[in-house]
Amino acid sequence: MILTIAKKEFAEMWRDGRFRWSALIVFLLLVMSLSFGWRSYSLAGEELRAAQEDSRRTWLEQGNRNPHSAAHFGVYAFKQKTPAGLIDPGLDAYTGNSIWVEAHYQNPARNRPIEDSTSLQRFGELSAAGVVLFLLPLLVIFLTFDSFAGERERGNLREAAASGIGMRTLAAGKLLGIGAVIALLLVPIALLGSAAVAFSSGGPAVAGEAPRLAGMFVAYSLYLFAFLGLGVAVSAWARSSKTALVVLIGFWVFAALLLPRIVNEIAAAAYPLPTAQEFWAAVDKDTKEGIDGHDPQNKRTKELEERVLAQYGVAKKEDLPINFSGLSLQASEEHANRVYDKHYGELQERHRDQKMIVDLAGLLSPVIAARSASMGFAGSDLDHQQHFTGEVELYRRDLQKILNDDLAYNSNPKTASTYAVGREFWEKTPDLEYQRPSFGWVASRQWLNTLLLAAWVLAAIGAALFAAGRTRID
């Protein structure tokens, strides 16, 4: 009986001209958004690759220079967009795509695309993820709002009950039939997304992105099936299809537009971030005075000098067989590293606390859970940005040590002021080869959002069956 009802629902939906036109409009928007995403991904990728090559070329061609002078000369590290990011650009426009790598400073990411955008672009760019997350639920609402209420208004529920069909059986059939329609919509969406990734990055990119694309597909599917269950539940509860439509649209407005803003404000108030001035003032204080406030810079330098003199058994720095300034610079870097680990660690912890509040709000809105999961699997969320900045900082520290060690152990202390190295040495310094985290790393951070979406599906379907069992047939 359930399968019979499901087939009937599927056939009626498929023959409905309003559904076909609505689906067509959504697919056209999806194709447009994917084309915009492909263009943005391609242009950004070309620009960032060219900028990275230019930065490396400038580093190699800087000429003869003292290693510490080269450390201040610095290089740029650029974050490439992920192939799946053309589907969901997430926070990429807000987090910055380049970091200046230099001595003594752990610089934040800069060059945020949003800073150069127009007012209309700041309102929000059209993305494939936006179409799925914000427009497809409206289509699901359109499919479900009169699934029970409309049948009641037409008198069909009385006929079904008279023929011995239970309301829960009817609800199960409707869920299955409309679910098949949604599944039929999801298949071309998945194919379009995969084709866009393949077209922009090549076939191998699809294979490499397959687990991430699959994660996004699962999140989108759970998300839409959650709205399916909610739609049937509200339709079974409401006395009229008009009431059901108003309630469902109201929930969509609350869950998709209002609650995310409210939650972000709550998270920012619960875990406020320091201003840039406060952050750098604290870093400067700890750098000069020591993290504990009792280890000033001149004291650290004096203690280092005493240890090195004792190690080499000489009385003066001038008698050392190595260049003390190189050791002193490296010691200064290592102290600064501890300072940056403390303050950037605290800042990132605040960001993670804010993110946890947002993720937990997925209990109240499937939109929030689906949005977070989508960005996470696409590689355009805060976790990926922090991973990138962390890898760049490790690279910066390795590069500074190479330069300081060369100054310390390869320069003559008596002629250190004129010591310089050239291209042969610069070519031996590594270039940043950033590797994105594995899918396992991503999945370990998206289990909560995926679990919340699954919970929404189960709760919504349960609510639909419960409301159907208590629905009035007249």
Side-chain angles (χ1 to χ4, degrees), residues 148-211:
F148 262 85
E151 298 275 19
R152 183 188 300 110
E153 291 168 344
R154 293 186 290 271
N156 293 340
L157 287 187
R158 182 182 295 276
E159 295 179 6
S163 62
I165 300 175
M167 293 298 102
R168 287 193 176 91
T169 300
L170 182 62
K174 288 180 176 292
L175 287 168
L176 187 59
I178 302 174
V181 174
I182 295 173
L184 197 61
L185 292 175
L186 285 169
V187 171
I189 290 175
L191 294 176
L192 281 173
S194 299
V197 172
F199 186 67
S200 63
S201 305
V206 176
E209 292 292 285

Side-chain angles (χ1 to χ4, degrees), residues 146-394:
D146 67 343
S147 56
F148 262 85
E151 298 275 19
R152 183 188 300 110
E153 291 168 344
R154 293 186 290 271
N156 293 340
L157 287 187
R158 182 182 295 276
E159 295 179 6
S163 62
I165 300 175
M167 293 298 102
R168 287 193 176 91
T169 300
L170 182 62
K174 288 180 176 292
L175 287 168
L176 187 59
I178 302 174
V181 174
I182 295 173
L184 197 61
L185 292 175
L186 285 169
V187 171
I189 290 175
L191 294 176
L192 281 173
S194 299
V197 172
F199 186 67
S200 63
S201 305
V206 176
E209 292 292 285
R212 291 172 176 265
L213 293 173
M216 296 175 74
F217 181 77
V218 169
Y220 295 156
S221 300
L222 292 173
Y223 174 64
L224 295 178
F225 285 129
F227 268 93
L228 164 63
L230 288 172
V232 174
V234 172
S235 185
W237 164 82
R239 296 301 302 271
S240 68
S241 56
K242 183 182 296 185
T243 300
L245 181 61
V246 169
V247 171
L248 289 169
I249 294 295
F251 175 78
W252 176 86
V253 170
F254 170 77
L257 304 180
L258 299 180
L259 187 60
R261 292 180 177 273
I262 294 172
V263 171
N264 284 333
E265 293 295 330
I266 292 174
Y271 296 100
L273 302 177
T275 63
Q277 292 82 0
E278 292 171 343
F279 177 83
W280 288 112
V283 168
D284 185 62
K285 180 176 182 295
D286 282 355
T287 300
K288 293 178 179 178
E289 301 178 8
I291 295 177
D292 58 3
H294 302 288
D295 190 19
Q297 189 170 1
N298 57 352
K299 178 184 175 183
R300 295 194 305 272
T301 303
K302 184 64 176 178
E303 291 175 348
L304 175 65
E305 180 180 339
E306 292 173 353
R307 290 196 304 271
V308 174
L309 292 175
Q311 178 184 349
Y312 286 92
V314 297
K316 298 182 300 182
K317 289 188 296 183
E318 292 75 12
D319 297 330
L320 286 169
I322 61 173
N323 188 342
F324 178 77
S325 63
L327 295 180
S328 178
L329 288 169
Q330 182 57 30
S332 176
E333 285 287 343
E334 291 173 0
H335 172 74
N337 292 343
R338 292 191 294 272
V339 173
Y340 288 127
D341 286 344
K342 172 190 173 184
H343 290 283
Y344 272 108
E346 292 173 350
L347 186 63
Q348 291 181 357
E349 188 64 30
R350 287 295 181 95
H351 280 298
R352 284 191 288 268
D353 289 337
Q354 289 183 351
K355 183 177 180 297
M356 180 55 68
I357 289 180
V358 173
D359 287 347
L360 289 176
L363 286 166
L364 304 176
S365 167
V367 182
I368 292 176
R371 184 75 176 115
S372 296
S374 177
M375 290 191 298
F377 287 118
S380 56
D381 64 342
L382 181 62
D383 287 337
H384 279 80
Q385 180 68 12
Q386 290 184 351
H387 185 274
F388 171 71
T389 57
E391 291 298 303
V392 172
E393 177 57 16
L394 292 177

Side-chain angles (χ1 to χ4, degrees), residues 4-14 151 173-174 177-178:
T4 301
I5 296 171
K7 291 178 182 178
K8 171 181 174 296
E9 290 291 327
F10 181 87
E12 289 181 350
M13 291 288 177
W14 197 249
E151 298 275 19
K174 288 180 176 292
I178 302 174

Side-chain angles (χ1 to χ4, degrees), residues 80 107 133-134 179 280 294 381 415 417 433:
Q80 298 290 332
N107 292 311
L133 295 173
F134 294 100
W280 288 112
H294 302 288
D381 64 342
T415 59
S417 60
E433 297 182 359

